[in-house]
């Protein structure tokens, strides 16, 4: 579920991104409704401008200087002095230095995977959100529970029962409900098998909804076109676990075996996937190119028309036709009947408040506003206009309007929709436009994806509705698998070694010359996994699994 500002323009230009969009806009007058934003009503802006020090470990986070940030400051009386690294610092080197020099800032907005986050919690450097909400912003609890989902204040509790991290981009039940309702749950980038339509038509478009039927169809097309590569992926998709086929076989992230949670090396489904790859290879349908080609090389071969079936996604249907036949196109094959895309909701960015914060009361009032409908519109949409027309500039907007013809559960005025001019500017230069406008992800504090995704959810788009109807039921969410494994611990080192072991054995297994050789290799791999200490790692998985179930109220 995590995506960076730099990556957004690439994803959108490739038509690979819809539902994973984070905050994308900000600042206006009259957005939402001030009833749920006491921070503004209570006259915080009248107390004078307060400048807080903010650190983000993301290089894309903006200085608090754009027009969107200025509008928010004018409304709330708070601005930020932003410190950020030149390159993303997920290792937490900056945080380590700040701890050592006793110079933690007032607010931190960092990636939820930052390696120093837990040390901040365990070292007693942070206020608990529970304490600050109860003392300074009690309505924030209601806003989070009702508009985001109660999971934000329950699923991220630490061992002491307190919540220190306010998480953005977490797929709560509320978010999933909204995504399903608006045909936005299934992103276009879900792994799919994509075929040339001309070759598929040529063999009568047979059913490919099982591994056996898919192989039979692929064999037919390969026989008719022996000069083509039957199936092609790239090393990023296949090098460690034949990843592009895991969803087709309905693989989960971990293997629940009775009362134990095991590594997928012990999952019979994983062995089935690798056997399937071995069958493909034995028939000449899967070659070593899929394990060594870069994505760029594979893309060039697919575009040239050298490939029959490729490891892509539904967005490939919008690609230019293969160069050897401009009269055909690429087409997504129906997923296997066993298809299941497994997701572990973990959230995206995390806001924490160090005990060095110079004014917790005004900070919490700001968060109460930022989390509200009004604040989300200010941060996520920009300046409101009366309709689709009227756009003047990226700085001044209007950036959006409320479309009365499309109901929205968050805004009684209708679905938030970008003005034509602002939408055109985004299409021309996604990252540059957001930065110039001073909106959205680059200035986010807390983000409700059910709000920020709203402009991109279109229940009137028949093609999108059909895709979501097909794929949304095949998406499954497993918050109970949200394991935290310290990479420097004994089990963390074991986990890393197992990944290397699997990567080493995978091509040997796929290209084994006989079933006997396959089984011998598989057995050797499991013996080495045992020697590496896989059982201790699985004990840790099981321990955290049971704790998560209890936290989720499932045990």
């Amino acid at each position: 579920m995590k995506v960076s500002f730099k990556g957004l323009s690439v994803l959108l230009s490739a038509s690979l991104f819809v539902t994973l969009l984070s905050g994308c806009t900000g600042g206006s007058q009259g957005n939402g409704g001030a009833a749920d934003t006491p921070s503004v009503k209570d006259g915080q802006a009248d107390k004078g401008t307060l400048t807080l020090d903010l650190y983000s470990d993301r290089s894309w986070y903006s200085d608090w200087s754009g027009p969107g940030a200025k509008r928010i400051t004018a409304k709330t009386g708070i601005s930020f002095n932003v410190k950020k690294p030149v390159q993303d610092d997920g290792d937490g080197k900056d945080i380590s230095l700040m701890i050592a020099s006793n110079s933690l800032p007032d607010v931190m907005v960092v990636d939820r995977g930052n390696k120093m986050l837990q040390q901040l919690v365990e070292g007693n450097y942070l206020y608990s959100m529970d304490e600050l909400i109860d003392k300074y912003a009690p309505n924030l609890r209601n806003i989070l529970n009702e508009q985001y989902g109660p999971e934000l204040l329950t699923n991220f509790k630490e061992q002491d029962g307190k919540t220190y991290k306010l998480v953005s981009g977490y797929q709560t039940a509320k978010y999933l409900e909204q995504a399903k309702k608006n045909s936005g749950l299934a992103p276009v980038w879900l792994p799919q098998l994509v075929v040339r339509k001309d070759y598929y038509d040529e063999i009568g478009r047979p059913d490919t909804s099982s591994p056996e039927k898919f192989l039979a169809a692929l064999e037919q097309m390969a026989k008719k076109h022996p000069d083509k590569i039957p199936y092609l992926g790239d090393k990023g998709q296949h090098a460690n676990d034949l990843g592009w086929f895991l969803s087709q076989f309905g693989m989960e992230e971990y293997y629940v075996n009775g009362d134990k949670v095991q590594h997928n090396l012990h999952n019979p489904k994983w062995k089935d996937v690798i056997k399937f790859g071995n069958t493909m290879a034995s028939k000449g349908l899967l070659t070593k190119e899929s394990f060594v080609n870069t994505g760029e090389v594979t893309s060039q071969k697919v575009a040239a028309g050298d490939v029959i079936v490729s490891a892509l996604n539904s967005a490939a249907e919008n690609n230019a036709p293969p160069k050897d036949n401009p009269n055909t196109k690429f087409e997504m094959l129906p997923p296997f009947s066993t298809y299941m895309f497994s997701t572990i909701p973990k959230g995206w960015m995390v806001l924490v408040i160090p005990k060095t914060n110079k004014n917790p009361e005004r900070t919490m009032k700001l968060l109460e506003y930022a989390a509200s409908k009004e604040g989300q519109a200010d941060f996520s949409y920009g300046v409101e206009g009366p309709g689709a027309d009227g756009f003047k500039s990226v700085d001044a907007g209007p950036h959006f309007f409320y479309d009365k013809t499309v109901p929205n559960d968050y805004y009684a005025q209708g679905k938030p929709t970008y003005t034509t001019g602002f939408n055109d500017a985004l299409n021309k230069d996604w990252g540059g436009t957001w930065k110039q406008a001073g909106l959205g992800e680059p200035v986010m504090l807390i983000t409700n994806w059910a709000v920020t995704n709203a402009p991109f959810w279109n229940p009137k788009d028949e093609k999108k509705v059909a895709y979501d109807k097909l794929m949304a039921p095949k998406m499954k969410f497993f918050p109970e698998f949200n394991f935290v494994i310290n990479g420097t611990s004994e089990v963390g080192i074991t986990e890393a070694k197992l990944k290397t072991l699997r990567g080493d054995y995978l091509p040997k297994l796929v290209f084994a010359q006989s079933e006997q050789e396959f089984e011998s290799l598989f057995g050797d791999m499991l013996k080495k996994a045992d020697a590496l200490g896989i059982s201790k790692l699985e004990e840790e998985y099981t321990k955290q699994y049971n704790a998560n179930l209890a936290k989720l109220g499932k045990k």
Side-chain angles (χ1 to χ4, degrees):
M1 276 319 283
K2 181 178 65 176
V3 64
S4 73
F5 178 62
K6 289 184 177 179
L8 286 174
S9 58
V10 176
L11 287 167
L12 284 174
S13 65
S15 302
L16 300 184
F17 180 79
V18 176
T19 65
L20 290 185
L21 189 67
S22 63
C24 308
T25 37
S28 89
Q29 295 80 34
N31 292 338
D36 64 348
T37 54
S39 59
V40 178
K41 288 182 65 179
D42 290 351
Q44 295 297 312
D46 296 335
K47 296 181 180 180
T49 299
L50 170 68
T51 300
L52 297 174
D53 293 325
L54 182 150
Y55 170 75
S56 177
D57 66 350
R58 304 293 93 178
S59 60
W60 45 257
Y61 202 95
S62 178
D63 296 328
W64 199 260
S65 57
K70 289 178 180 178
R71 286 192 294 271
I72 293 168
T73 294
K75 178 178 284 192
T76 65
I78 293 182
S79 67
F80 289 100
N81 174 34
V82 176
K83 178 182 177 182
K84 60 184 179 180
V86 176
Q87 295 181 330
D88 292 353
D89 182 21
D91 289 334
K93 295 176 183 176
D94 285 348
I95 296 177
S96 295
L97 290 173
M98 285 186 279
I99 291 175
S101 60
N102 194 29
S103 59
L104 288 170
D106 297 294
V107 177
M108 304 176 81
V109 181
V110 299
D111 185 82
R112 57 98 184 153
N114 189 296
K115 294 180 180 179
M116 285 298 295
L117 259 180
Q118 205 57 31
Q119 186 165 328
L120 286 172
V121 173
E122 295 172 1
N124 199 30
Y125 293 102
L126 305 176
Y127 282 114
S128 80
M129 288 296 170
D130 314 84
E131 174 189 352
L132 294 182
I133 288 173
D134 290 342
K135 190 172 183 179
Y136 300 118
N139 195 43
L140 177 57
R141 187 180 302 278
N142 298 328
I143 291 171
L144 293 175
N145 287 343
E146 294 171 9
Q147 297 177 27
Y148 292 64
E151 295 95 322
L152 295 193
L153 295 177
T154 59
N155 285 14
F156 299 96
K157 289 184 181 296
E158 300 296 332
Q159 290 185 351
D160 62 4
K162 298 178 181 179
T163 298
Y164 296 86
K165 308 166 189 173
L166 199 53
V167 178
S168 289
Y170 185 73
Q171 293 151 319
T172 62
K174 178 76 172 177
Y175 168 79
L176 297 179
E177 168 197 309
Q178 289 296 308
K180 289 176 182 176
K181 183 174 182 177
N182 293 282
S183 299
L185 182 59
V188 296
W189 48 257
L190 292 176
Q192 305 290 355
L193 300 172
V194 174
V195 67
R196 288 179 54 138
K197 184 178 182 300
D198 51 353
Y199 292 177
Y200 191 38
D201 288 343
E202 189 179 27
I203 63 170
R205 304 181 64 81
D207 179 12
T208 60
S209 62
S210 72
E212 297 77 19
K213 291 175 180 178
F214 168 74
L215 286 180
L218 187 57
E219 278 190 282
Q220 287 186 63
M221 291 184 284
K223 188 174 182 180
K224 288 180 175 292
H225 302 278
D227 58 325
K228 302 294 183 180
I229 302 169
Y231 168 85
L232 187 63
D234 63 55
K235 62 182 180 181
Q237 299 165 327
H238 298 81
N240 286 319
D241 57 7
L242 282 185
W244 220 249
F245 288 99
L246 297 184
S247 296
Q248 295 286 354
F249 279 75
M251 281 278 296
E252 298 175 6
E253 301 287 332
Y254 301 91
Y255 176 44
V256 179
N257 185 10
D259 60 355
K260 296 180 180 179
V261 178
Q262 294 184 285
H263 192 282
N264 263 332
L265 285 179
H266 286 141
N267 191 337
K269 282 186 182 178
W270 189 77
K271 188 175 183 180
D272 289 343
V273 173
I274 308 308
K275 277 190 172 181
F276 174 74
N278 178 261
T279 300
M280 287 185 70
S282 67
K283 293 176 178 291
L285 304 174
L286 173 62
T287 68
K288 292 184 179 179
E289 282 191 80
S290 290
F291 295 83
V292 297
N293 282 358
T294 63
E296 183 179 1
V297 170
T298 291
S299 295
Q300 291 171 352
K301 289 180 177 290
V302 172
D306 296 338
V307 182
I308 298 175
V309 172
S310 49
L312 293 171
N313 54 63
S314 65
E317 296 184 336
N318 299 321
N319 291 351
K323 292 180 181 179
D324 63 347
N325 184 2
N327 297 316
T328 192
K329 64 177 185 177
F330 296 106
E331 177 180 345
M332 184 186 102
L333 287 171
F336 292 177
S337 60
T338 52
Y339 192 106
M340 186 270 289
F341 187 81
S342 169
T343 297
I344 303 174
K346 295 184 177 181
W348 168 51
M349 298 293 286
V350 171
L351 182 144
V352 296
I353 300 179
K355 291 182 177 179
T356 48
N357 183 285
K358 66 175 66 76
N359 196 321
E361 179 179 6
R362 290 190 67 180
T363 301
M364 293 308 293
K365 288 296 184 183
L366 173 69
L367 286 182
E368 195 171 60
Y369 150 72
S372 71
K373 295 177 185 179
E374 178 186 4
Q376 285 293 286
D378 286 345
F379 276 86
S380 299
Y381 303 140
V383 175
E384 179 187 350
D389 301 324
F391 174 78
K392 297 176 182 177
S393 71
V394 170
D395 286 10
H399 304 104
F400 82 105
F401 67 100
Y402 292 106
D403 186 347
K404 298 178 182 178
T405 68
V406 184
N408 181 268
D409 288 345
Y410 286 87
Y411 297 98
Q413 306 96 310
K415 174 182 177 290
T417 305
Y418 296 131
T419 57
T420 302
F422 187 59
N423 195 60
D424 289 345
L426 287 172
N427 288 333
K428 289 179 182 178
D429 181 7
W430 177 264
T433 297
W434 285 128
K435 198 165 187 178
Q436 182 182 343
L439 306 174
E441 182 177 343
V443 295
M444 62 88 65
L445 295 177
I446 180 171
T447 296
N448 183 351
W449 278 359
V451 171
T452 56
N453 282 347
F456 301 91
W457 287 345
N458 185 3
K460 293 183 177 181
D461 184 335
E462 293 182 2
K463 186 174 181 180
K464 174 59 180 168
V465 169
Y467 175 79
D468 204 72
K469 185 177 180 180
L470 172 68
M471 297 306 302
K474 299 179 183 298
M475 297 186 68
K476 303 295 180 185
F477 296 82
F478 297 91
E480 60 268 34
F481 287 155
N482 187 9
F483 303 152
V484 179
I485 304 295
N486 185 338
T488 62
S489 67
E490 181 183 355
V491 292
I493 293 170
T494 295
E495 191 175 55
K497 288 181 177 179
L498 288 171
K499 182 177 180 180
T500 300
L501 177 72
R502 184 177 58 185
D504 290 343
Y505 268 85
L506 182 67
K508 299 175 186 177
L509 290 164
V510 169
F511 297 103
Q513 297 299 304
S514 66
E515 184 174 352
Q516 182 180 6
E517 182 185 357
F518 180 93
E519 292 296 340
S520 177
L521 286 166
F522 201 88
D524 287 344
M525 180 182 64
L526 292 183
K527 287 179 182 178
K528 289 182 179 179
D530 288 339
L532 288 172
I534 192 172
S535 61
K536 288 187 178 180
L537 176 62
E538 291 174 340
E539 287 175 7
E540 181 63 24
Y541 288 162
T542 303
K543 176 184 174 183
Q544 294 195 30
Y545 175 75
N546 288 324
N548 288 342
L549 287 179
K551 191 183 296 183
L552 295 165
K554 296 182 179 181
K555 187 173 182 178

